[in-house]
Amino acid sequence: MPKNSKVVKRELDDEVIESVKDLLSNEDSSDDAFKKSELMVDDQEEKDVDVEEGSDVEDERPAWNSKLQYILAQVGFSVGLGNVWRFPYLCQKNGGGAYLVPYLILLLIIGIPLFFLELAVGQRIRRGSIGVWNYISPKLGGIGFASCVVCFFVALYYNVIIGWSLFYFSQSFQHPLPWDQCPLVKNTSHTFVEPECEKSSATTYYWYREALNISSSLSESGGLNWKMTICLLAAWVMVCLAMIKGIQSSGKIMYFSSLFPYVVLLCFLIRGLLLNGSVDGIRHMFTPKLEIMLEPKVWREAATQVFFALGLGFGGVIAFSSYNKRDNNCHFDAVLVSFINFFTSVLATLVVFAVLGFKANIINEKCVIQNSEKILKLLKIGNLSQDMIPHHINFSSITAEDYNLVYDIIQKVKEEEFDSLGLKSCQIEDELNKAVQGTGLAFIAFTEAMTHFPASPFWSVMFFLMLVNLGLGSMFGTIEGIITPIVDTFKVRKEILTVICCLVAFFIGLIFVQRSGNYFVTMFDDYSATLPLLIVVILENIAVTRIYGIDKFMEDLKDMLGFSPSQYYYYMWKYVSPLVLLCLLVASVVQMGLSPPGYNAWIEDTATEEFHSYPTWGMIVCISLMVLAILPVPIVFMVRRCNLIDDSSGSLASVSYKRGRIIKEPVNLEGDNTSLIHGKSPSEVPSPNFGKNIYRKQTGSPTLDTAPNGRYGIGYLMADMPDMPESDL
């Protein structure tokens, strides 16, 4: 080659090198970060770091200290007051042991599959309910907001129940217990028993008059009950302190709040089995009534109990699972927590009916003694003949069996005038058939039974401390269902948000500690959660199976778990669960329409409960609760549908998720690919259009046209990155 040719070639090479240097110097400064597969949100300093397998970079998102801590958190959230005072009532009401059959069937059909679904999406996307459903489909992003609203409504009145338990707990450190006997009233001439207490019972009077100081109707507020106001404040302070650092603080408390109730239940079971009549209560509880099992309302109530027992739709399940590692076996967690919940309900049922059997035995003994005295009086005045009394009967030490024998004889002989004799049939079954639930079980029936225990103050302290811990475990999950989605979405400080949330909830909650507050608790319990949560979970199921795609979701699970889940879940999610949920929704609406909206008011003069219909303003409040809870769904849908929010301004519409990290994407992606970096528009990016060889599509990812939710940019990595197959979630 001639010498001048070499010079020309060297000059051309130098020009090429300079051109490449110019090109490289114009590249975005975030190129190195991009090569590490990091996409940043504008100029946001606070960012989540994705943890790829084998990476030394730590994930900035909080994580559970151990698997045990996480399981205890999920158990604490799902196992709540309903397991103690709702499940035993439903079991007794709906066929005893036979009720367990529809409950278990529905647990397998809707309980475990939907619980698994929420655990999976939370763990895979690693965000709260707002972020999860906004990722699945921006138009259904309102599902997460609806969950937050329902959580807030439930938290308002649920913490009031914890306040009630704190009040009884504080009053249990005395002997005898303050609800053991009716109070005496003194006037100038003599002393007499409080009439309201004499007409009801000591525990009933203490609950309605001493604890609640309840008014006669919803419209009669009666002012604040200061004792309960202080207890409510204490309850919110406890929740705030436990939640202020998120799972870093509440996770440690879970070791006590989740395990202590089991210690108490086992102690109560052992003590209860040693009491007279406990076996009668348990036998009555589990004697199957198969004919009742075929009634539709039994299946409806079983489905409702399964649904609420696991905390589906609240967002707490998703929030807790979002702090897990990506490869955690959430399928095992779903099955484990579901069956722990079920066996806890059975254990609580054994305890409740062992104690109620003991209580029924005491009441039955009093009934036998009182009616035996009546028979003796009737024998003395000649209304009854001594000949009809069997010779072996000794009225001074008569047993329940002997009394019932005499009762049957008198009823046959004196058939026409029997009613005028005033005798009662003393059967333990009659007392056990008096179904009680909710506050009536915890604060009246169970409390009365404990007054007959040896060392009753000790058992009272243990019982109400157990209720406090059960309530707190559920409250932690409920508040987490509010805090986590908002922190993830709006990037506010968790500590400040937690304090503000608890303060606002306390001041709104003052309506529940008026003298009429118990009626508001009933209203919120009946109308704020049932229908909205059913709609939320139905939409969750549709979002995953129909919009995101059930096949794609199954692939995500395989990628996350390391194995393919059973096809059982495929058919449950796609066909069976949504159908069952839809039937449950229709049945709940019909039941709500057939049942007159109202509440049971305590009437002081008669010392009895009386059903009152809600006033007009009360009906407006009931309807408003349901509408407000579900309103975010259509609002967000219309906002997304009509593009009422400018996505490029940083709204929720431009937020998506990859490997548990938030990424900001511009909506207009028709320009060059460099607009994917730092969320810049094409005009803001100094570098020229790269060739097609700069980016390559990630293996296994969908094409641009079929990208999930119409999102672009996910699944595109730098050309020098190794193949890392990853699903869209």
Side-chain angles (χ1 to χ4, degrees):
M1 179 181 294
K3 183 178 180 180
N4 59 345
S5 298
K6 292 182 179 180
V7 173
V8 171
K9 182 178 183 299
R10 189 182 303 115
E11 290 176 353
L12 290 173
D13 289 343
D14 291 340
E15 290 178 2
V16 171
I17 291 172
E18 290 298 323
S19 299
V20 172
K21 286 182 178 179
D22 292 339
L23 175 62
L24 292 176
S25 64
N26 287 332
E27 280 193 290
D28 199 315
S29 61
S30 68
D31 185 58
D32 291 337
F34 187 81
K35 288 179 180 180
K36 295 177 183 178
S37 187
E38 292 184 5
L39 294 181
M40 304 178 185
V41 183
D42 295 330
D43 296 324
Q44 182 179 334
E45 296 178 358
E46 184 180 352
K47 55 185 177 293
D48 291 277
V49 181
D50 191 7
V51 180
E52 301 288 350
E53 294 181 11
S55 173
D56 295 330
V57 184
E58 294 184 0
D59 192 348
E60 293 182 6
R61 186 171 182 80
W64 298 103
N65 292 334
S66 66
K67 180 65 175 283
L68 176 61
Q69 189 181 79
Y70 165 67
I71 293 296
L72 289 177
Q74 290 286 14
V75 169
F77 175 52
S78 65
V79 175
L81 297 172
N83 296 74
V84 175
W85 66 33
R86 177 70 178 167
F87 186 89
Y89 161 76
L90 291 174
C91 205
Q92 176 197 18
K93 175 186 173 186
N94 296 316
Y99 173 74
L100 300 180
V101 175
Y103 186 89
L104 275 173
I105 292 174
L106 290 164
L107 181 65
L108 295 173
I109 291 176
I110 62 173
I112 295 177
L114 294 175
F115 192 60
F116 180 27
L117 185 145
E118 290 200 355
L119 288 179
V121 296
Q123 178 176 309
R124 194 66 170 88
I125 302 175
R126 305 198 71 199
R127 280 297 177 271
S129 55
I130 295 176
V132 162
W133 302 115
N134 185 67
Y135 169 78
I136 295 293
S137 173
K139 292 179 182 177
L140 291 180
I143 295 175
F145 288 99
S147 293
C148 289
V149 173
V150 173
C151 280
F152 186 72
F153 284 161
V154 171
L156 288 176
Y157 74 85
Y158 205 87
N159 224 24
V160 175
I161 301 174
I162 297 177
W164 293 342
S165 302
L166 284 172
F167 173 76
Y168 269 79
F169 172 74
S170 66
Q171 298 300 306
S172 298
F173 294 92
Q174 48 188 308
H175 185 75
L177 291 169
W179 49 83
D180 186 32
Q181 299 290 336
C182 285
L184 299 176
V185 179
K186 295 181 180 179
N187 59 16
T188 53
S189 58
H190 63 286
T191 302
F192 58 93
V193 176
E194 170 65 48
E196 186 181 2
C197 183
E198 191 174 22
K199 294 174 184 176
S200 54
S201 68
T203 51
T204 304
Y205 172 81
Y206 191 86
W207 166 242
Y208 284 115
R209 191 54 51 211
E210 296 293 335
L212 300 181
N213 193 20
I214 200 164
S215 62
S216 299
S217 70
L218 182 70
S219 302
E220 182 186 340
S221 68
L224 289 177
N225 180 340
W226 288 106
K227 291 181 291 186
M228 288 305 172
T229 302
I230 294 172
C231 291
L232 178 63
L233 177 61
W236 276 114
V237 168
M238 292 168 63
V239 171
C240 184
L241 293 177
M243 297 297 301
I244 198 163
K245 292 292 185 181
I247 63 170
Q248 306 296 342
S249 53
S250 65
K252 297 178 177 62
I253 300 174
M254 292 294 180
Y255 288 108
F256 178 76
S257 65
S258 296
L259 293 176
F260 180 74
Y262 290 96
V263 175
V264 176
L265 285 174
L266 288 173
C267 291
F268 264 97
L269 180 61
I270 295 170
R271 185 68 189 93
L273 291 175
L274 299 176
L275 299 171
N276 291 330
S278 61
V279 177
D280 294 324
I282 294 174
R283 186 189 302 118
H284 175 83
M285 180 67 257
F286 288 102
T287 301
K289 304 176 184 65
L290 298 177
E291 66 281 359
I292 298 180
M293 193 179 70
L294 301 177
E295 297 179 8
K297 73 178 184 67
V298 174
W299 291 82
R300 177 181 61 79
E301 293 186 342
T304 305
Q305 179 63 17
V306 167
F307 185 86
F308 288 106
L310 293 174
L312 299 174
F314 281 96
V317 173
I318 294 176
F320 280 151
S321 66
S322 72
Y323 298 111
N324 268 331
K325 293 181 179 179
R326 177 177 172 270
D327 58 352
N328 174 63
N329 189 348
C330 55
H331 173 255
F332 172 79
D333 300 342
V335 176
L336 178 65
V337 173
S338 297
F339 278 101
I340 288 177
N341 186 292
F342 170 69
F343 288 117
T344 304
S345 298
V346 175
L347 174 62
T349 301
L350 286 171
V351 170
V352 166
F353 277 89
V355 173
L356 292 184
F358 165 67
K359 172 175 170 278
N361 188 67
I362 292 177
I363 294 175
N364 195 61
E365 288 178 357
K366 292 180 179 178
C367 176
V368 169
I369 293 173
Q370 291 172 356
N371 284 274
S372 296
E373 292 174 352
K374 287 183 181 180
I375 292 175
L376 287 174
K377 290 179 181 179
L378 292 171
L379 288 172
K380 287 181 180 179
I381 63 177
N383 286 3
L384 294 178
S385 172
Q386 187 68 43
D387 297 334
M388 65 177 64
I389 308 299
H391 297 292
H392 70 279
I393 300 296
N394 181 6
F395 283 103
S396 60
S397 59
I398 190 171
T399 62
E401 291 77 10
D402 288 342
Y403 169 77
N404 287 319
L405 175 62
V406 173
Y407 178 86
D408 292 337
I409 293 173
I410 296 175
Q411 189 178 29
K412 291 177 182 178
V413 175
K414 298 286 187 178
E415 185 175 355
E416 295 180 358
E417 52 185 304
F418 180 77
D419 293 338
S420 62
L421 298 178
L423 298 178
K424 295 181 180 178
S425 174
C426 299
Q427 300 284 347
I428 290 181
E429 287 75 13
D430 294 338
E431 188 63 31
L432 289 172
N433 281 329
K434 296 178 181 178
V436 287
Q437 64 165 323
T439 54
L441 174 63
F443 298 108
I444 298 177
F446 211 89
T447 305
E448 181 180 348
M450 286 189 296
T451 59
H452 302 287
F453 281 22
S456 55
F458 168 77
W459 293 104
S460 183
V461 167
M462 294 285 283
F463 177 71
F464 289 110
L465 186 58
M466 178 190 73
L467 291 188
V468 169
N469 279 276
L470 285 172
L472 286 176
S474 297
M475 276 297 295
F476 293 158
T478 304
I479 297 298
E480 198 69 54
I482 302 171
I483 301 297
T484 297
I486 295 178
V487 169
D488 288 343
T489 304
F490 301 104
K491 298 299 178 184
V492 297
R493 286 194 61 184
K494 178 167 286 190
E495 295 87 349
I496 297 174
L497 179 62
T498 303
V499 172
I500 292 174
C501 180
C502 292
L503 278 175
V504 171
F506 167 71
F507 285 111
I508 296 177
L510 292 177
I511 65 172
F512 301 107
V513 290
Q514 303 174 96
R515 290 184 59 197
S516 60
N518 188 45
Y519 308 138
F520 283 98
V521 170
T522 302
M523 177 190 291
F524 272 67
D525 191 36
D526 289 342
Y527 292 96
S528 68
T530 306
L531 291 182
L533 280 181
L534 278 171
I535 295 172
V536 163
V537 176
I538 289 173
L539 292 176
E540 287 181 359
N541 194 287
I542 292 173
V544 171
T545 60
R546 306 293 175 182
I547 297 177
Y548 182 76
I550 184 67
D551 296 316
K552 200 181 300 181
F553 185 61
M554 295 295 284
E555 285 298 318
D556 292 334
L557 290 176
K558 181 180 179 181
D559 176 60
M560 183 170 62
L561 301 176
F563 62 89
S564 297
S566 169
Q567 286 296 304
Y568 169 81
Y569 293 105
Y570 179 92
Y571 293 108
M572 288 297 108
W573 286 329
K574 190 170 184 179
Y575 302 110
V576 180
S577 294
L579 181 62
V580 173
L581 286 173
L582 192 59
C583 292
L584 181 58
L585 177 63
V586 173
S588 299
V589 171
V590 171
Q591 175 67 20
M592 194 172 288
L594 295 177
S595 303
Y599 60 99
N600 289 320
W602 179 256
I603 308 303
E604 183 177 358
D605 295 336
T606 59
T608 56
E609 287 186 334
E610 184 178 292
F611 183 81
H612 285 186
S613 296
Y614 285 120
T616 303
W617 65 266
M619 287 300 302
I620 294 174
V621 173
C622 293
I623 296 172
S624 299
L625 289 174
M626 293 186 289
V627 171
L628 287 174
I630 207 63
L631 196 59
V633 175
I635 288 179
V636 173
F637 180 83
M638 292 305 298
V639 167
R640 299 280 197 254
R641 178 72 175 170
C642 303
N643 294 321
L644 299 180
I645 294 180
D646 182 12
D647 291 342
S648 61
S649 64
S651 67
L652 283 175
S654 58
V655 176
S656 64
Y657 299 85
K658 176 182 182 297
R659 282 271 197 153
R661 290 182 304 99
I662 191 166
I663 332 169
K664 187 67 70 69
E665 300 174 288
V667 174
N668 182 16
L669 299 177
E670 296 177 358
D672 57 60
N673 290 331
T674 56
S675 62
L676 290 174
I677 306 175
H678 281 236
K680 293 183 178 181
S681 63
S683 60
E684 296 173 323
V685 180
S687 58
N689 285 337
F690 296 121
K692 290 188 289 185
N693 61 331
I694 298 295
Y695 295 100
R696 62 174 173 78
K697 191 173 183 303
Q698 187 180 346
T699 306
S701 294
T703 63
L704 280 177
D705 291 335
T706 58
N709 317 314
R711 299 176 181 278
Y712 302 96
I714 296 179
Y716 285 80
L717 305 175
M718 289 302 294
D720 60 347
M721 289 292 287
D723 283 337
M724 297 183 66
E726 181 180 321
S727 57
D728 296 303
L729 277 178

